[in-house]
C-alpha cells in the first residue's frame, strides 16, 4: 500500500510539474555496470538522480575493477539466473514497483533477455512506467566503429529490447548497428531515427555523431526525435539538433550520465524534447562560456 501511494504521487507530480516534490516519490530501477575505480554505469547515473530526488535501486550487471578501456580489468558478471533471483527477492517483499527503468552496459545476452522480461512485467503493473534504454554496444574511433561487448547482444537489443523501450539513447555507431543503415548525412540520420521509431520507442536521441555541423568540425552534433500520436490518430514528430563544442580530452561515463539526466528531465518535461535533451544545462553553460552552443528544433507530421 505504501509503495502504491508513492507511485500515485509520482504520476501526479509528473503531470503537475514540480521536480522537487515529484522525484522524491519516484522510483528508478537502474540496471547497468559498476566499477570499483572510476565513474561509469551506476556510479555515474545513480548519484545525480538521487541528488534530484529520485529513489534509485541499482542492479549491477557487472562488477569490474575499472572500465574496460583500461589495459587490464578484472571482475564478475551477473548472469540471468542471478538477476532473476534478485528480482524475485524484490517481488516477495512487494517492493518491485517502479516508475522508471534505466538500463546500460551489460555483456551477457541471456541477462539482457531477462531484463526484457522484467520490464514487461513491470509495465503490466504500471502502464505509465517509462523505460529508458542506453543500448551500450560500441563506438567510433577515428571514423572506424567497433563493438566492445559480445556481438551476440546486438540481435537481443534489436529484436527484444528496443521494441519495449520508450526512450533510447544510442550513439551514431549503435544506431547504425540497430538499423543496418550507415549514416553519412543528417537526412540519413533522420531516416535512421524514423526506423528506430518504427521499432517501438517514442523518443530517440543519437547522443553523438561524426556529422559535419554548420559551426564547423570543432563541434559535436547530437540529434533527437520524439513521435507523439494525437487524439485524432495523426502522428507529430518533433526533431532537435544540438551542436556543442568538442573538448580535447577523453571522458568515460558521459553516455551513462546523459541517459540518467534525460530520464530526469523527461519526468519534468514529458512533452518537451528541447528541455529534455539537456537544453537547460547547455543554456546555463553558455552563460558562463564564451563558446557558442546552437540548437535547432522543427516539427513534422
Amino acid at each position: 500500500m505504501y509503495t502504491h501511494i508513492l507511485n500515485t504521487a509520482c504520476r501526479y507530480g509528473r503531470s503537475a510539474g514540480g521536480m522537487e516534490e515529484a522525484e522524491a516519490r519516484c522510483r528508478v530501477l537502474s540496471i547497468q555496470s559498476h566499477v570499483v575505480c572510476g565513474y561509469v554505469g551506476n556510479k555515474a547515473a545513480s548519484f545525480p538522480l538521487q541528488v534530484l530526488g529520485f529513489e534509485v535501486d541499482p542492479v549491477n550487471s557487472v562488477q569490474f575493477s575499472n572500465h574496460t578501456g583500461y589495459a587490464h580489468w578484472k571482475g564478475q558478471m551477473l548472469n540471468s539466473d542471478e538477476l532473476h533471483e534478485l528480482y524475485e527477492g524484490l517481488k516477495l517483499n512487494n517492493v518491485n514497483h517502479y516508475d522508471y527503468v534505466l538500463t546500460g552496459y551489460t555483456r551477457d545476452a541471456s541477462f539482457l533477455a531477462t531484463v526484457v522480461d522484467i520490464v514487461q512485467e513491470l509495465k503490466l503493473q504500471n502502464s505509465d512506467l517509462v523505460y529508458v534504454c542506453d543500448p551500450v554496444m560500441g563506438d567510433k574511433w577515428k571514423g572506424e566503429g567497433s563493438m566492445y561487448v559480445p556481438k551476440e547482444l546486438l540481435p537481443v537489443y534489436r529484436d527484444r529490447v528496443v521494441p519495449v523501450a520508450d526512450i533510447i539513447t544510442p550513439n551514431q555507431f549503435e544506431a547504425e548497428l540497430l538499423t543496418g543503415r550507415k549514416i553519412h548525412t543528417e537526412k540519413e540520420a533522420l531516416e535512421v531515427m524514423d526506423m528506430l521509431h518504427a521499432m517501438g520507442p517514442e523518443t530517440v536521441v543519437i547522443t553523438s555523431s561524426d556529422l559535419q555541423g554548420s559551426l564547423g568540425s570543432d563541434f559535436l552534433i547530437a540529434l533527437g526525435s520524439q513521435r507523439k500520436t494525437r487524439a485524432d490518430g495523426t502522428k507529430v514528430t518533433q526533431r532537435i539538433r544540438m551542436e556543442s563544442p568538442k573538448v580535447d580530452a577523453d571522458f568515460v561515463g558521459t553516455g551513462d550520465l546523459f541517459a540518467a539526466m534525460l530520464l530526469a528531465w523527461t519526468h519534468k518535461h514529458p512533452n518537451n524534447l528541447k528541455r529534455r535533451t539537456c537544453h537547460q544545462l547547455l543554456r546555463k553553460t553558455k552563460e558562463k562560456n564564451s563558446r557558442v552552443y546552437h540548437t535547432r528544433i522543427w516539427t513534422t507530421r
Side-chain angles (χ1 to χ4, degrees):
M1 179 179 178
Y2 176 65
T3 303
H4 173 72
I5 293 172
L6 291 184
N7 288 336
T8 302
C10 178
R11 291 194 292 274
Y12 175 80
R14 187 162 63 226
S15 61
M19 182 174 277
E20 291 79 6
E21 295 181 4
E23 275 77 83
R25 302 179 178 91
C26 283
R27 298 187 67 208
V28 179
L29 180 63
S30 180
I31 306 175
Q32 48 189 318
S33 63
H34 171 81
V35 291
V36 177
C37 176
Y39 291 90
V40 299
N42 272 325
K43 280 186 73 175
S46 295
F47 180 65
L49 285 171
Q50 289 169 329
V51 168
L52 291 173
F54 289 87
E55 185 71 26
V56 183
D57 291 353
V59 174
N60 298 327
S61 58
V62 302
Q63 177 165 278
F64 288 162
S65 55
N66 43 265
H67 70 77
T68 57
Y70 280 81
H72 307 283
W73 48 274
K74 298 289 184 180
Q76 303 81 36
M77 295 188 296
L78 205 67
N79 62 39
S80 58
D81 290 337
E82 291 165 336
L83 174 60
H84 178 75
E85 183 177 5
L86 288 175
Y87 183 68
E88 283 298 306
L90 297 174
K91 286 176 64 175
L92 289 171
N93 289 294
N94 195 32
V95 292
N96 62 322
H97 300 274
Y98 295 97
D99 300 282
Y100 294 91
V101 175
L102 173 64
T103 64
Y105 182 92
T106 184
R107 294 187 62 85
D108 182 81
S110 62
F111 179 96
L112 194 56
T114 302
V115 169
V116 174
D117 295 338
I118 290 172
V119 170
Q120 289 175 322
E121 182 172 324
L122 291 174
K123 284 195 170 192
L124 287 176
Q125 293 179 180
N126 176 12
S127 60
D128 291 332
L129 180 138
V130 175
Y131 174 27
V132 181
C133 170
D134 184 5
V136 180
M137 290 183 285
D139 207 344
K140 288 188 175 183
W141 288 270
K142 298 180 179 179
E144 294 295 324
S146 63
M147 295 183 69
Y148 42 63
V149 299
K151 294 181 179 180
E152 292 76 23
L153 269 66
L154 173 57
V156 183
Y157 271 118
R158 182 188 61 227
D159 301 333
R160 296 206 57 193
V161 178
V162 173
V164 301
D166 300 288
I167 300 170
I168 59 171
T169 60
N171 57 39
Q172 177 180 331
F173 177 64
E174 291 159 345
E176 291 173 341
L177 286 177
L178 290 169
T179 60
R181 288 277 304 273
K182 291 291 186 181
I183 296 174
H184 304 97
T185 65
E186 185 172 316
K187 180 177 180 293
E188 291 174 338
L190 297 180
E191 292 170 351
V192 164
M193 287 195 291
D194 284 339
M195 292 175 67
L196 292 169
H197 279 310
M199 295 166 68
E202 182 180 88
T203 301
V204 177
V205 179
I206 297 180
T207 56
S208 62
S209 71
D210 53 15
L211 296 174
Q212 181 69 35
S214 60
L215 301 178
S217 59
D218 289 336
F219 285 75
L220 184 70
I221 294 181
L223 298 167
S225 179
Q226 181 181 33
R227 180 165 293 177
K228 289 285 189 179
T229 303
R230 290 175 169 170
D232 61 4
T234 59
K235 293 185 182 296
V236 177
T237 303
Q238 183 187 33
R239 314 279 202 187
I240 183 169
R241 173 168 163 259
M242 294 189 300
E243 296 183 45
S244 54
K246 294 178 180 178
V247 177
D248 187 19
D250 293 324
F251 299 98
V252 295
T254 52
D256 307 320
L257 176 61
F258 181 92
M261 293 301 93
L262 184 60
L263 184 158
W265 283 94
T266 291
H267 181 80
K268 188 168 185 178
H269 302 287
N271 298 310
N272 191 325
L273 184 62
K274 176 183 177 181
R275 287 182 177 272
R276 288 161 60 187
T277 47
C278 295
H279 177 74
Q280 296 301 307
L281 175 61
L282 291 176
R283 181 181 61 79
K284 291 181 183 297
T285 303
K286 178 182 174 182
E287 291 171 356
K288 299 180 179 180
N289 194 316
S290 60
R291 303 196 72 177
V292 177
Y293 291 84
H294 178 70
T295 305
R296 181 162 67 93
I297 302 166
W298 68 102
T299 301
T300 60
R301 294 185 180 180

